[in-house]
Amino acid sequence: MIEEKDYTLKTATIHVEISGEGYPLILMHGWGCDHTTVRSIAATAARSHKVYNIDLPGFGASPEPSSVWSVYDYAAIIEEFVRTENLDAPVLIGHSFGGRIAIIYGSRNKTEKIVLVDAAGIKPHRSLSYYYKVYSFKTAKAAMRLIFGREGAQKRIDAMRARRGSSDYAAASPRMRAIMSRVVNEDLSPLLPKVTAPTLLIWGENDTATPLADAKKMNRLLPDSGLVSFPGCGHYSFLDNPGQFARVLASFLNSKPASPRL
């Protein structure tokens, strides 16, 4: 049985799809997605766990944050949800942006297990052409503010970003664009050694958004982790190879529980 429920917390309202019975598990989707994107993961996990499949603020049926949040604000809303529901050391699964949240949460809270699926969190290596584009854009912004004034310049800046940015950026509202600009380059590498829960990394070997090299670095830095990668799969490895993904995930979730973590 699946239940849809809205939770009004101190800093945001979140929509949650609840399914299954058993040990609590929190599932967090990637940027530009919602809980429906990761329903296949929820279906596998719900065979052994009670799954809270969350629409993160600003996505799906959850309203946007009231200000320009950082990824730490997103982690804080998950912490508040866990306290509200009295969930003790839940299992966490995070895809892409949801993986960022899982890393932060796991670095400062007790968790039973963590699954990172094509997760973000490693600062990408940038080419000289990237920095040329960035600083050219900053120069253009300064010039437009001088010519058109602050309000007139902002409209033109938003239009430039929509043309030059990713499809996720172009499709987002102004506030969510600002949030994306804030969170996309946050390097969470220093937090990984603090994540003591057993962690499974599941990756697509052809992932271009969060390359396999990111997974290998996470695997080296995490104290208790393993990496499974799927040939021919991209950033949505759980959709590209659903059968094998489900078997790997179920095996990890049903393995012997870890001893209590501090």
Side-chain angles (χ1 to χ4, degrees), residues 15 30 40 43 49 54 64 88 97 108 122 124 210 227 251:
H15 181 78
S40 62
H49 290 67
I54 294 176
E64 291 184 4
D88 182 31
F97 177 67
R108 61 193 193 189
I122 301 297
T210 53
L227 169 62
S251 176

Side-chain angles (χ1 to χ4, degrees), residues 75-242:
I77 201 69
I78 298 301
E79 289 169 336
E80 186 181 350
F81 175 74
V82 168
R83 290 193 299 270
T84 299
E85 289 298 286
N86 295 314
L87 306 180
D88 182 31
V91 175
L92 302 180
I93 302 179
H95 171 245
S96 194
F97 177 67
R100 286 184 182 272
I101 301 169
I103 290 169
I104 294 173
Y105 186 101
S107 73
R108 61 193 193 189
N109 295 281
K110 187 169 71 170
T111 54
E112 177 70 4
K113 296 177 182 178
I114 298 174
V115 183
L116 300 177
V117 183
D118 300 294
I122 301 297
K123 188 173 183 178
H125 295 287
R126 302 298 194 184
S127 65
L128 288 176
S129 62
Y130 169 83
Y131 289 105
Y132 175 80
K133 289 178 182 178
V134 168
Y135 288 110
S136 295
F137 185 67
K138 288 183 177 179
T139 301
K141 283 200 300 182
M144 282 191 285
R145 284 181 177 136
L146 287 173
I147 296 169
F148 301 107
R150 188 174 186 87
E151 185 174 343
Q154 191 60 49
K155 293 179 181 178
R156 289 168 173 82
I157 290 167
D158 288 341
M160 284 177 61
R161 280 176 169 157
R163 289 195 302 271
R164 295 185 180 187
S166 67
S167 58
D168 283 344
Y169 186 91
S173 70
R175 179 171 293 157
M176 296 308 292
R177 289 178 185 176
I179 291 173
M180 184 178 184
S181 296
R182 185 175 183 185
V183 306
V184 69
N185 286 318
E186 290 192 71
D187 185 13
L188 303 182
S189 299
L191 299 183
L192 292 169
K194 301 177 182 179
V195 179
T196 58
T199 303
L200 174 65
L201 300 100
I202 309 180
W203 236 262
E205 293 185 4
N206 295 346
D207 190 338
T208 57
T210 53
L212 185 60
D214 290 3
K216 292 178 178 178
K217 182 174 182 178
M218 289 183 182
N219 195 30
R220 289 194 302 270
L221 293 174
L222 288 161
D224 184 4
S225 66
L227 169 62
V228 176
S229 61
F230 298 145
C233 295
H235 190 55
Y236 293 83
S237 57
F238 57 97
L239 298 178
D240 293 337
N241 192 342

